Amino acid sequence: MKVIVCDNYDEMSLQGAKIFEKQIREKANSILGLATGSTPIGMYQHLIKMHKEEGLDFSKITSFNLDEYYPISQTNDQSYRYFMNEQLFNHINIDKNNTFVPNGEATDADLECKQYDEKIAQYGGIDIQLLGIGRNGHIGFNEPDKKLFASTHKTDLTQDTIDANSRFFDDIKDVPTKALTMGIGSIMKAKTVVLLASGKNKHEVVNAMLDDFITTDIPSTLLKAHPDFILICDKDAYEG
Ligand code: GLP
């Protein structure tokens, strides 16, 4: 595990963007694993700038997103599909047909999840996976539990996550209570994993990442077993 501590949010975002830039310049048809949440927005802005000003080319890139609320319409402005279009895809030259987000409109959620993993495998697996982190240590929507899942699956959100995500919704009652998410195995299969953590409210969970233990009570700690895992955090997350 490699740890990079940055002075502030923007520096963290730039460091993350540089790692993805390197990947894309070295392998034009990379398979990227992408994430939502407020944390990666700055990194996406840097990638957009690199595309517009330095010719970073996304035309051969394929992307798979970690998760999506369930059920949710793809046109709902709180859906992760909508978020990705707005925050990244609409501003770069990626072919939207090559961008995959679990389908929150699927009638058969289990089939959607199975096919999602099959599609990732068909494309040869994820080269580099971006992650944010929930304040309870969830990655994607793999919430703390005794038992975690390896594959993409439908899951219930914890009250802590519903509370945290309610800031994006008019009413807490509107926050979906379920999601489709890549499993821990899907994430661990990525060749490289990059986790961004910013802000004092992530300090406790970042501390757990810096310690040596692994527990399903804090799903992000499982990443310590990944052979190429990079944790990038700002000072607030690192020092509290
Ligand atoms: C959501 C997402 C996660 C994300 C987390 C943290 O629950 N499913 O992928 O990492 O929120 O979000 P934020 O970056 O806004 O703190």
Side-chain angles (χ1 to χ4, degrees), residues 38-169:
S38 44
T39 309
I41 292 177
M43 181 185 130
Y44 291 154
Q45 282 167 358
H46 279 292
L47 288 176
I48 292 166
K49 196 158 173 254
M50 287 168 179
H51 165 65
K52 293 200 166 140
E53 294 174 9
E54 294 155 32
L56 186 62
D57 181 18
F58 291 82
S59 63
K60 297 189 181 68
I61 293 293
T62 298
S63 71
F64 286 92
N65 260 78
L66 274 172
D67 50 9
E68 177 62 283
Y69 290 121
Y70 187 80
I72 199 161
S73 144
Q74 296 188 8
T75 53
N76 183 318
D77 62 5
Q78 292 306 330
S79 77
Y80 287 172
R81 160 53 74 184
Y82 187 93
F83 174 100
M84 289 310 299
N85 288 346
E86 288 288 305
Q87 299 295 339
L88 183 65
F89 300 152
N90 288 347
H91 312 286
I92 56 175
N93 66 335
I94 197 164
D95 179 347
K96 284 228 185 92
N97 294 317
N98 296 333
T99 66
F100 300 102
V101 180
N103 182 5
E105 296 180 19
T107 42
D108 186 337
D110 292 340
L111 182 66
E112 168 64 17
C113 292
K114 186 170 168 278
Q115 289 176 341
Y116 201 70
D117 280 336
E118 284 168 1
K119 200 173 288 163
I120 296 174
Q122 236 170 37
Y123 277 81
I126 291 170
D127 289 304
I128 183 164
Q129 175 69 54
L130 177 66
L131 298 175
I133 188 168
R135 56 190 184 190
N136 62 2
H138 75 231
I139 45 176
F141 273 127
N142 294 276
E143 297 278 27
D145 210 332
K146 247 194 189 152
K147 189 167 92 178
L148 298 179
F149 289 84
S151 311
T152 301
H153 59 285
K154 186 170 84 175
T155 187
D156 291 320
L157 305 187
T158 60
Q159 194 56 46
D160 187 61
T161 298
I162 294 171
D163 292 346
N165 291 2
S166 65
R167 68 190 193 276
F168 300 113
F169 292 80

